[in-house]
């Protein structure tokens, strides 16, 4: 990641945090620095880093990116965020690396629930957000 020089593709976030942000047909990777709150996109062609873009910083590290999906049907991935302390949930609407705005989802203050997917669960052609219980509860 920018500034650290330590992140590698072997350390890449899980597939749920990948999407084609630059429209080249290859999945890209979203990074979040859990210490500084910086956020970044890595544009990939297979396993080759071909570019990067900086997203807005979210200094409150209780906010976590939990899913990537095209939630506003503009053909570009958006980010689903969850606050691990308050249970609030937000969608960042994006056009590639350009922040278009945000949508506040209903909070789920019971922190034993986590967002586990953003996918077309009901087969209506639009992504849905799914939640599940954390382990050990």
């Amino acid at each position: 990641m920018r500034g650290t020089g330590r992140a590698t593709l072997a350390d890449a976030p899980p597939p749920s945090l990948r999407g084609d942000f630059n429209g080249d047909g290859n999945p890209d990777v979203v990074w979040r620095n859990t210490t500084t709150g910086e956020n970044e996109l890595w544009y990939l062609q297979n396993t080759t880093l071909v570019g990067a873009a900086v997203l807005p910083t979210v200094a409150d590290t209780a906010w976590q990116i939990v899913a990537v999906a095209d939630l506003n049907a503009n053909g570009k991935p958006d980010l689903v965020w969850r606050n691990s302390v308050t249970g609030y949930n937000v969608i960042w609407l994006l056009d590639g690396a350009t922040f278009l705005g945000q949508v506040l989802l209903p909070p789920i203050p019971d922190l034993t629930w986590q967002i586990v997917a953003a996918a077309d669960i009901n087969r209506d052609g639009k992504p849905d957000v799914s939640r599940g219980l954390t382990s050990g509860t």
Side-chain angles (χ1 to χ4, degrees):
M1 255 168 96
R2 183 175 48 90
T4 66
R6 291 182 288 179
T8 68
L9 292 178
D11 301 321
S16 62
L17 298 183
R18 300 177 192 181
D20 184 8
F21 287 86
N22 60 354
D24 68 356
N26 294 293
D28 304 309
V29 177
V30 180
W31 289 96
R32 173 142 173 83
N33 186 313
T34 58
T35 301
T36 66
E38 293 172 285
N39 303 291
E40 192 170 293
L41 294 175
W42 275 13
Y43 300 123
L44 302 175
Q45 287 182 344
N46 298 314
T47 59
T48 302
L49 178 64
V50 295
V54 176
L55 294 171
T57 295
V58 178
D60 181 351
T61 57
W63 284 100
Q64 301 167 348
I65 302 169
V66 294
V68 174
D70 181 11
L71 297 166
N72 62 350
N74 70 345
K76 305 282 180 70
D78 304 304
L79 302 180
V80 181
W81 292 80
R82 175 149 172 85
N83 188 300
S84 62
V85 174
T86 65
Y88 278 94
N89 306 286
V90 171
I91 296 171
W92 271 17
L93 303 174
L94 300 172
D95 182 359
T98 302
F99 178 77
L100 301 175
Q102 65 184 15
V103 176
L104 183 63
L105 297 174
I108 303 170
D110 181 348
L111 299 179
T112 59
W113 287 96
Q114 292 181 341
I115 295 172
V116 295
D120 186 8
I121 297 167
N122 63 358
R123 298 183 184 179
D124 66 355
K126 300 173 185 172
D128 307 296
V129 176
S130 177
R131 65 183 181 171
L133 281 172
T134 59
S135 62
T137 56

